[in-house]
Amino acid sequence: MNPQADNQIIQDIHTHPLFVGTTADELRDLLETCELKHYGKSQKVLYSKTPREGLLLILKGVAEVFVSGRDSNSEEVLEVLQKGDMIGFSSLADFLGEKSENTDQYAVEVRAVEEAICLHIPYPVIEARWHDDTVRDFMLRQASIRLRDIYQSLAEQMKQASHFGESEPFIRRIHDVMTEPVIVVDQDDDVQDVAATMVERGTSSVVVLNDGDQLIGIITEKDLVARVVANGGGPGIVAKEVMTANPFIIADDAFYYEAMSSFLMNGIKHLPVMRRGRVVGMCTLSDLLRKKNRGTMEILHTIEESDFKTIDAMKPAIYDVLSNLIQDRIPTTHLLNVITKLYDRLVKHAVWLAVRAVEDRGFGAPPVRFNWYMMGSGGRAEQFMLTDQDHFLVYDDVGDEKREQVETYFAELGTEIVRHLEQAGYKRCKGLMMASESQWRGSMKKWEERLRGWSLRSTNDNILLGHNFLSYRLLYGDPELHDQFVGVVEEILTKSKIFLYRMAEQEKEHPVPTLDHPIRALFRMKRESIDIKMHALFPLHHCLQLLSAHHGIFEGTPLERLDRLVEIDVFDEKTADEIRFAYEVVLSIRVDQAWQSYQSDTERTSKIHFAHLRTKDKEELMIALRTIRSLQNQTLGAFGMY
């Protein structure tokens, strides 16, 4: 450990239960192999799937343990740890000799909520202290308390899970479409008997219960094929060896679209239906498709199976989902949440295919870590129809001897990604903001130079590039490299405040328009139309970007940035709700108009004619514009422009 550590830290370590009772010499010997680690606010302390090599003792600050969802934008916080708590209890099984064959055993990640100091304690130090009864009792108590708290946290999060379409009473509930009674098997039933039961009952899945009648797994036809037939399984195999443990579930009073979004986002076809902790039915994708007569949606589950020749079939399938969501008047932000997850699956698969294609052409596997980012509406997670491509590549720095090889590889990959996305339905960007272009790919150092160049030359063109760039969202790549990249962005923009100031100046030159009172508007409308993108959406995006950057937030969708600004008290909840309402209103009008243009095969435009809006939409739009105008004024005020 660093000998310069202050006395308070040494005292905190000495009085911790793991080290209490040691002499000064014993403590010094133990700490020789330990290391003090400093973490900034929001910095990752542990990454998922990173091998653990000991425990971390928090000496200062707060950290949170979380698990990321199956998409890049969702996560659940499992617990919050403070001074005196230890990080890494899940790895104690390795230390105790219970090695896991599961490569995803460390699915959780840890990040600092505020600046933190941790002491890394390697396993040999723990082993040296393990003989002490006090230490073993402390570790057991901590593990028990941690387990209890995590269960309570998960239970609370389940209760607070948001519902799709709460305001739409006509949307069907799951208990109206589920199959009941559910077919149940015991965890120790022979798998041959399970298969026979499925054939006899004509079902494609059964749920597995333990001796306490609690759901512990699900067996589908796919499980039987993959884990029994494909492996040449014979007699003696029981249900718990074949089942998928801890399956996704849904409550019986959930809405139709909650189940549909779970199917689409998680790539599954069966959802056990729960009521007060018990399985009461089964909801399948087929049930929903049959009830709504939407059989064409089944093609969505072939996204990951598609190749270059068949990936173009995904666009009409996703558009079919979009059509049904619009038809049922699902709130726009929920609609975009579902559609974004589908597009994310599509583009991730396209990038994966591009990597394979480059490898097949003899360029080999990626020579270094890389990340692929989307910008524009895709980056903001508000893309509802396929637009132009808008993306860039970032990869690790290398020495001079490998630079040409690495640059050649990523030039090929960038071109191949564009080709695959074009095949999937994304048009090439007219402004060439694509990873196929040298100015939109590069090493970490190259991007640092590029961003510094934009900030030093704050031309109108560079400011436009900056706004588009700041909508970036990681879609494919390495999370640790991503954190490094965000750190570079933060460093450059923090040092070059003039760039943000110039962006604010441009915002001042384009004030958000306000409309007349609705009564007066019936008789004399000063404006006949408004460009919903230029006069509403873009100002909202730009202001949230600028305010976020001004307060040290350099990534996130508009709603994610808004949440972060609430957390640091830039907005109160009332103001944030008004901004969310404005965002929903503007997006809803935008989606409706664009979809009507698509259906009528007319040219898409962002210009909205008031004569074509319902009275309710006009009134809501006026409220939304006033809110965005207020947001714009607050943003300008943050930069001293009044």
Side-chain angles (χ1 to χ4, degrees):
M1 190 182 76
N2 185 346
Q4 302 302 318
D6 63 46
N7 292 332
Q8 183 59 52
I9 287 179
I10 295 293
Q11 184 178 348
D12 290 341
I13 294 172
H14 201 180
T15 56
H16 190 272
L18 190 59
F19 297 103
V20 72
T22 58
T23 66
D25 289 341
E26 288 172 337
L27 180 62
R28 184 182 63 253
D29 291 342
L30 290 171
L31 294 183
E32 279 186 356
T33 56
C34 298
E35 181 183 359
L36 276 181
K37 292 179 175 280
H38 296 255
Y39 300 96
K41 182 179 179 181
S42 300
Q43 184 179 352
K44 288 280 183 67
V45 177
L46 290 177
Y47 290 85
S48 65
K49 301 181 183 179
T50 299
R52 310 307 198 228
E53 299 174 351
L55 301 179
L56 286 169
L57 169 61
I58 300 179
L59 298 170
K60 177 185 175 182
V62 178
E64 59 186 9
V65 182
F66 66 96
V67 58
S68 297
R70 297 193 177 209
D71 60 276
S72 58
N73 299 310
S74 64
E75 62 185 38
E76 296 289 350
V77 176
L78 300 182
E79 58 179 334
V80 176
L81 305 177
Q82 302 181 28
K83 179 180 177 180
D85 288 332
M86 302 190 75
I87 301 171
F89 271 100
S90 61
S91 67
L92 278 180
D94 291 348
F95 166 69
L96 295 171
E98 298 294 331
K99 290 286 186 181
S100 171
E101 297 179 359
N102 180 12
T103 58
D104 292 334
Q105 59 179 316
Y106 303 124
V108 299
E109 299 183 77
V110 182
R111 68 170 158 242
V113 178
E114 56 188 46
E115 289 189 8
I117 300 176
C118 298
L119 178 69
H120 177 255
I121 308 170
Y123 288 137
V125 173
I126 299 171
E127 185 175 6
R129 296 290 295 144
W130 197 252
H131 68 279
D132 191 311
D133 292 340
T134 303
V135 171
R136 288 201 302 273
D137 289 345
F138 165 74
M139 299 294 262
L140 179 60
R141 284 197 309 274
Q142 289 296 303
S144 300
I145 292 170
R146 198 73 57 81
L147 184 62
R148 179 197 65 194
D149 291 347
I150 288 174
Y151 269 108
Q152 289 177 347
S153 174
L154 288 174
E156 186 63 27
Q157 289 175 34
M158 289 290 290
K159 291 177 184 177
Q160 295 179 354
S162 60
H163 282 173
F164 269 71
E166 285 275 2
S167 62
E168 306 291 337
F170 60 87
I171 295 180
R172 213 182 299 256
R173 301 274 185 170
I174 293 305
H175 54 62
D176 295 327
V177 298
M178 71 182 186
T179 300
E180 55 180 335
V182 65
I183 311 302
V184 174
V185 300
D186 186 80
Q187 60 181 342
D188 296 318
D189 284 352
D190 188 281
V191 74
Q192 301 296 330
D193 295 334
V194 173
T197 298
M198 292 172 66
V199 172
E200 179 184 346
R201 302 296 292 271
T203 181
S204 59
S205 64
V206 295
V207 296
V208 184
L209 305 184
N210 61 15
D211 294 338
D213 289 336
Q214 296 173 314
L215 174 69
I216 60 172
I218 184 173
I219 297 177
T220 66
E221 293 172 337
K222 182 179 178 181
D223 293 328
L224 292 176
V225 172
R227 297 170 187 167
V228 180
V229 178
N231 292 329
I237 302 175
V238 296
K240 63 184 177 184
E241 298 176 85
V242 177
M243 70 182 187
T244 296
N246 304 315
F248 291 98
I249 58 175
I250 195 165
D252 70 321
D253 62 348
F255 288 102
Y256 170 96
Y257 276 101
E258 289 186 87
M260 183 59 73
S261 65
S262 185
F263 288 138
L264 300 180
M265 294 180 202
N266 300 315
I268 57 174
K269 296 184 181 180
H270 302 80
L271 279 172
V273 183
M274 310 295 290
R275 180 188 301 140
R276 293 189 292 275
R278 299 291 181 184
V279 187
V280 295
M282 180 69 71
C283 178
T284 69
L285 178 64
S286 298
D287 291 333
L288 300 191
L289 297 180
R290 184 167 58 252
K291 295 288 183 181
K292 297 293 256 184
N293 191 27
R294 294 173 182 177
T296 55
M297 290 171 64
E298 193 165 10
I299 196 172
L300 293 171
H301 294 273
T302 65
I303 287 179
E304 281 78 15
E305 300 171 4
S306 63
D307 56 23
F308 183 80
K309 294 181 179 179
T310 60
I311 199 171
D312 62 333
M314 300 304 107
K315 175 182 174 179
I318 295 176
Y319 274 28
D320 184 57
V321 177
L322 176 61
S323 173
N324 292 316
L325 293 174
I326 292 174
Q327 177 183 332
D328 286 343
R329 305 302 300 174
I330 299 303
T332 304
T333 49
H334 292 322
L335 176 152
L336 291 174
N337 191 34
V338 173
I339 296 300
T340 293
K341 301 302 183 298
L342 297 178
Y343 285 148
D344 284 356
R345 286 173 61 185
L346 177 62
V347 297
K348 286 177 184 177
H349 186 61
V351 174
W352 182 85
L353 287 175
V355 172
R356 302 285 84 76
V358 170
E359 185 173 358
D360 291 342
R361 290 214 306 272
F363 288 89
V368 294
R369 297 181 304 173
F370 77 93
N371 284 348
W372 182 80
Y373 294 88
M374 287 193 78
M375 299 184 291
S377 60
R380 294 188 297 268
E382 61 183 36
Q383 187 175 80
F384 56 95
M385 297 179 67
L386 294 190
T387 56
D388 294 351
Q389 298 186 40
D390 216 346
H391 49 80
F392 63 90
L393 274 171
V394 180
Y395 47 86
D396 269 325
D397 293 319
V398 294
D400 292 340
E401 70 281 1
K402 292 185 177 180
R403 183 172 293 117
E404 184 176 353
Q405 173 202 348
V406 169
E407 290 179 351
T408 299
Y409 173 87
F410 285 108
E412 288 292 326
L413 179 60
T415 300
E416 200 61 39
I417 289 173
V418 168
R419 193 171 77 94
H420 275 76
L421 288 177
E422 189 174 27
Q423 178 72 2
Y426 285 88
K427 296 179 180 178
R428 293 179 181 242
C429 175
K430 294 180 180 178
L432 299 180
M433 296 183 185
M434 304 178 293
S436 57
E437 308 305 311
S438 59
Q439 63 268 32
W440 289 103
R441 64 174 187 267
S443 65
M444 191 74 70
K445 183 178 180 181
K446 183 66 178 177
W447 272 103
E448 185 176 356
E449 294 172 353
R450 185 172 293 141
L451 293 175
R452 185 175 289 111
W454 290 353
S455 63
L456 292 176
R457 295 183 296 278
S458 302
T459 63
N460 289 346
D461 287 343
N462 282 347
I463 289 173
L464 288 175
L465 291 177
H467 274 308
N468 197 43
F469 169 80
L470 283 175
S471 66
Y472 68 88
R473 183 164 63 95
L474 175 65
L475 260 292
Y476 189 102
D478 184 275
E480 188 172 2
L481 182 66
H482 171 67
D483 284 349
Q484 294 175 17
F485 181 65
V486 174
V488 168
V489 175
E490 179 176 1
E491 181 182 3
I492 296 298
L493 292 185
T494 300
K495 290 180 178 179
S496 306
K497 293 188 179 296
I498 185 62
F499 189 57
L500 296 178
Y501 185 85
R502 283 283 293 117
M503 294 173 88
E505 277 187 333
Q506 277 214 352
E507 199 61 28
K508 185 178 181 180
E509 295 173 6
H510 301 90
V512 175
T514 55
L515 306 182
D516 276 333
H517 185 277
I519 301 300
R520 295 198 304 271
L522 293 175
F523 299 98
R524 53 178 186 84
M525 182 74 72
K526 289 184 177 179
R527 283 179 172 270
E528 295 182 354
S529 64
I530 186 174
D531 190 313
I532 202 73
K533 283 177 62 177
M534 298 301 298
H535 295 142
L537 267 181
F538 284 176
L540 188 148
H541 295 149
H542 295 168
C543 289
L544 287 177
Q545 284 177 350
L546 283 167
L547 269 181
S548 297
H550 184 67
H551 291 280
I553 301 166
F554 295 92
E555 64 172 328
T557 65
L559 291 180
E560 288 170 347
R561 292 174 191 258
L562 181 58
D563 289 342
R564 291 284 306 279
L565 290 169
V566 171
E567 289 175 8
I568 59 176
D569 297 325
V570 175
F571 297 125
D572 56 30
E573 280 294 348
K574 180 177 180 296
T575 302
D577 283 341
E578 291 172 352
I579 296 173
R580 292 186 189 101
F581 174 78
Y583 190 51
E584 171 78 29
V585 168
V586 173
L587 280 177
S588 177
I589 294 173
R590 171 77 176 136
V591 168
D592 283 347
Q593 186 196 52
W595 187 248
Q596 290 172 15
S597 297
Y598 170 74
Q599 288 184 309
S600 60
D601 196 25
T602 55
E603 183 180 359
R604 286 178 59 184
T605 175
S606 56
K607 183 174 288 188
I608 304 296
H609 292 275
F610 299 131
H612 299 164
L613 291 178
R614 296 171 299 180
T615 300
K616 174 177 175 292
D617 292 337
K618 289 179 185 176
E619 292 176 349
E620 289 184 342
L621 179 58
M622 282 186 279
I623 295 172
L625 288 173
R626 282 199 296 269
T627 298
I628 299 172
R629 179 70 175 264
S630 177
L631 170 63
Q632 190 179 56
N633 290 335
Q634 182 174 349
T635 303
L636 296 177
F639 287 88
M641 302 177 189
Y642 298 96

